[in-house]
Amino acid sequence: MDRFLIRNNKKPNDGTQNSEPAPKKKKYDESSVKVRRYLSEYLGLGFSATKSDPVNAQCVLCGQVLANSSMKPAHMNRHLSTVHPSHVGKPIEFFKRKQEAFASNCLEIAKVASVSSKALRASYAVSYLVAKQKKPHTIAECLILTALVKVSEIMFDTKTATALQSIPVSNNTISRRIEDIASDIVMQVIEQIKLTKMFALQLDESTDVSGEAQVIVFVRYQDCSDIRENILFCQNLQSRTTGEELFKVIDKFFAEGGILWDWCLSVCSDGAAALTGKNNGLMA
């Protein structure tokens, strides 16, 4: 036995050895991390303060940002001497001018990259027309915007035509706008259903041109003194087209939207067996 312990670098336990477990390592506590403050003297090293929380140091020459934990004069001196050696020893007035120029450039970039509110509204209006006419999304950029620019040049002036060119109507932009509009319409319908707490459903299970099964749910509800009917949602069926799967899809949508089944007054369908079956159908 002693030979086995010696061969495996183990010592026999004679009762005197401490058998207490090793102390656990302390967990990392973010609250104990020291947050460094930006000092005005750091501008003499070519670094200004960012508007983030916590504050970081940003080089006014190249725009590189140092983390808050690296906001030390030694790190700033190393960056200045290695990346910008020609500016070592420059007075603080030089870096102040660089800071003003850097801030001005950032404002110009933000101004160019931003879209005005009128151009944004026009983009949504064009996207809504494209969706209503069921046209390809590329028609907005290839035809609609081009026609607007040409008409403006003829009827008005070049300045108006240039302003129209700032309207974002690319293929991807139109797709995102249509998705936003559709989501907003669904939210409006859900909010109206929550107000009236009465609605009726019409269900249709079919396949699209690619052969994928879909369930379309229409809803009829009261809006003030009028009865309105809208498409509540259309969703692909990932698995089988049984009544149980159809019910799961509708029930999940109701749960996410906060709609209760107690508010449903009636349900009608297209007569499919999966919907009207008295034993396993969705009605059951």
Side-chain angles (χ1 to χ4, degrees), residues 111-132:
K111 184 178 179 180
V112 173
S114 61
V115 179
S116 64
S117 59
K118 289 185 178 181
L120 187 63
R121 290 178 58 188
S123 177
Y124 274 100
V126 173
S127 302
Y128 183 66
L129 294 175
V130 172
K132 286 185 65 176

Side-chain angles (χ1 to χ4, degrees), residues 237-256:
L237 298 175
Q238 302 298 331
S239 56
R240 299 174 297 173
T241 58
T242 61
E244 183 179 0
E245 294 298 328
L246 291 169
F247 177 79
K248 287 181 180 179
V249 171
I250 301 173
D251 187 61
K252 181 180 178 181
F253 181 86
F254 279 12
E256 293 176 352

Side-chain angles (χ1 to χ4, degrees), residues 11-268:
K11 296 181 180 181
N13 189 3
D14 56 358
T16 61
Q17 187 178 358
N18 187 10
S19 60
E20 294 182 359
K24 296 182 179 180
K25 295 182 178 179
K26 294 183 179 180
K27 293 184 178 180
Y28 177 75
D29 187 8
E30 293 184 355
S31 60
S32 62
V33 179
K34 180 181 178 181
V35 178
R36 299 182 177 275
R37 296 185 304 167
Y38 177 83
L39 302 178
S40 58
E41 294 82 9
Y42 294 162
L43 185 58
L45 301 176
F47 281 85
S48 63
T50 62
K51 296 181 180 180
S52 59
D53 186 20
V55 177
N56 299 324
Q58 185 174 26
C59 179
V60 298
L61 300 174
C62 64
Q64 182 176 345
V65 178
L66 298 181
N68 182 267
S69 58
S70 300
M71 194 162 53
K72 303 176 183 178
H75 293 174
M76 300 177 188
N77 271 320
R78 184 169 63 249
H79 174 83
L80 185 63
S81 59
T82 55
V83 182
H84 314 287
S86 59
H87 299 308
V88 176
K90 292 290 182 68
I92 192 172
E93 288 76 14
F94 170 80
F95 293 109
K96 285 182 179 180
R97 292 194 300 269
K98 290 293 183 181
Q99 181 186 15
E100 294 174 357
F102 183 79
S104 177
N105 291 335
C106 292
L107 291 176
E108 288 295 330
I109 293 174
K111 184 178 179 180
V112 173
S114 61
V115 179
S116 64
S117 59
K118 289 185 178 181
L120 187 63
R121 290 178 58 188
S123 177
Y124 274 100
V126 173
S127 302
Y128 183 66
L129 294 175
V130 172
K132 286 185 65 176
Q133 297 299 324
K134 302 177 183 179
K135 298 297 183 180
H137 300 166
T138 54
I139 194 174
E141 187 175 17
C142 298
L143 179 61
I144 297 178
L145 185 61
T146 305
L148 287 175
V149 172
K150 290 295 183 182
V151 170
S152 298
E153 290 178 351
I154 297 173
M155 298 293 295
F156 302 103
D157 51 22
T158 307
K159 184 178 180 180
T160 305
T162 304
L164 291 175
Q165 291 178 352
S166 64
I167 302 175
V169 289
S170 64
N171 182 29
N172 296 334
T173 301
I174 295 296
S175 299
R176 291 195 303 269
R177 300 284 189 262
I178 293 175
E179 292 178 358
D180 293 342
I181 293 171
S183 300
D184 183 70
I185 292 175
V186 171
M187 292 303 299
Q188 291 183 36
V189 173
I190 291 176
E191 291 299 325
Q192 190 62 37
I193 291 174
K194 290 181 179 179
L195 290 176
T196 58
K197 297 183 179 181
M198 291 186 299
F199 65 91
L201 294 179
Q202 179 180 348
L203 311 177
D204 183 17
E205 186 271 319
S206 60
T207 56
D208 56 10
V209 293
S210 61
E212 294 186 0
Q214 293 181 338
V215 56
I216 306 175
V217 180
F218 298 86
V219 64
R220 181 175 291 179
Y221 57 94
Q222 184 177 359
D223 183 10
C224 296
S225 59
D226 193 10
I227 301 297
R228 295 186 178 275
E229 182 175 333
N230 282 311
I231 296 179
L232 188 58
F233 71 92
C234 176
Q235 188 169 334
N236 293 335
L237 298 175
Q238 302 298 331
S239 56
R240 299 174 297 173
T241 58
T242 61
E244 183 179 0
E245 294 298 328
L246 291 169
F247 177 79
K248 287 181 180 179
V249 171
I250 301 173
D251 187 61
K252 181 180 178 181
F253 181 86
F254 279 12
E256 293 176 352
I259 302 175
L260 301 181
W261 280 103
D262 296 338
W263 302 340
C264 183
L265 302 179
S266 63
V267 179
C268 63

